[in-house]
Amino acid sequence: MPKLKTRSGAKKRFQVKKSGQVKHGKAYGKHLFTHAKTPKQKRGNRGTSHLRDMDAKKVIKEMFPYGA
């Protein structure tokens, strides 16, 4: 049997941790910080976060053939 390939888009966007959690970058935080965003939104969009359990299961099952 050939090896299964990981979805290349998922490789760039998600990281599966040993605990089974899926780490991801936050949305809406890449550009347009000069206007239309409150300081609270700007702070909230920093850094990374983890997906909820149900979403993490879907991402691992569909995008990462070998899971964690």
Side-chain angles (χ1 to χ4, degrees):
M1 287 293 296
K3 291 182 181 178
L4 298 173
K5 290 188 176 182
T6 298
R7 301 281 178 106
S8 61
K11 271 191 285 196
K12 298 167 192 169
R13 290 170 175 81
F14 302 111
Q15 184 179 10
V16 181
K17 309 306 273 181
K18 284 185 184 178
S19 64
Q21 286 187 315
V22 179
K23 183 177 166 184
H24 70 96
K26 299 216 184 137
Y28 308 111
K30 297 294 182 191
H31 62 102
L32 295 180
F33 282 111
T34 54
H35 57 84
K37 287 188 178 140
T38 64
K40 185 178 178 183
Q41 285 175 309
K42 292 178 189 180
R43 284 194 307 274
N45 284 329
R46 280 187 206 144
T48 58
S49 185
H50 292 95
L51 292 178
R52 305 276 178 192
D53 290 338
M54 279 305 300
D55 295 328
K57 282 182 189 175
K58 289 177 189 174
V59 166
I60 291 170
K61 184 179 177 188
E62 295 173 11
M63 308 276 182
F64 294 93
Y66 299 106

